[in-house]
Amino acid sequence: LFDLKDNIRYGNLPITMYINYPREYPFKPPRVFFDPILFHPNVDPKDGTLKIGLENDWSPASKLYDLLMNIIP
């Protein structure tokens, strides 16, 4: 659990970002999702999962920081 509610506000609503690392990490990407679901082109509107840079673009050399910079300015 990575809680950003003190740093990021979506309107007046706190946002929590969750990062779940699979057992196969770093060979499989972590699952990153937001609650509540963000309206953002890199976030799946169905489940709040960060989509850019995961699955197809992930490699063991990938850094989570670089992925998050796609969503957090």
Side-chain angles (χ1 to χ4, degrees):
L1 172 66
F2 188 72
D3 191 359
L4 295 177
K5 68 182 174 186
D6 293 332
N7 298 323
I8 297 176
R9 298 283 177 180
Y10 192 63
N12 292 326
L13 190 62
I15 297 171
T16 302
M17 180 177 69
Y18 296 90
I19 303 172
N20 290 336
Y21 291 91
R23 289 181 184 238
E24 299 86 0
Y25 182 82
F27 301 103
K28 290 193 176 182
R31 181 173 179 251
V32 179
F33 60 100
F34 299 89
D35 183 33
I37 296 172
L38 295 178
F39 178 75
H40 190 280
N42 297 333
V43 174
D44 187 328
K46 295 176 188 167
D47 62 7
T49 303
L50 181 63
K51 293 297 183 184
I52 191 167
L54 298 174
E55 300 301 329
N56 296 334
D57 298 331
W58 185 261
S59 80
S62 298
K63 296 180 182 176
L64 185 59
Y65 173 84
D66 296 330
L67 294 177
L68 296 178
M69 289 300 102
N70 288 305
I71 189 91
I72 303 170

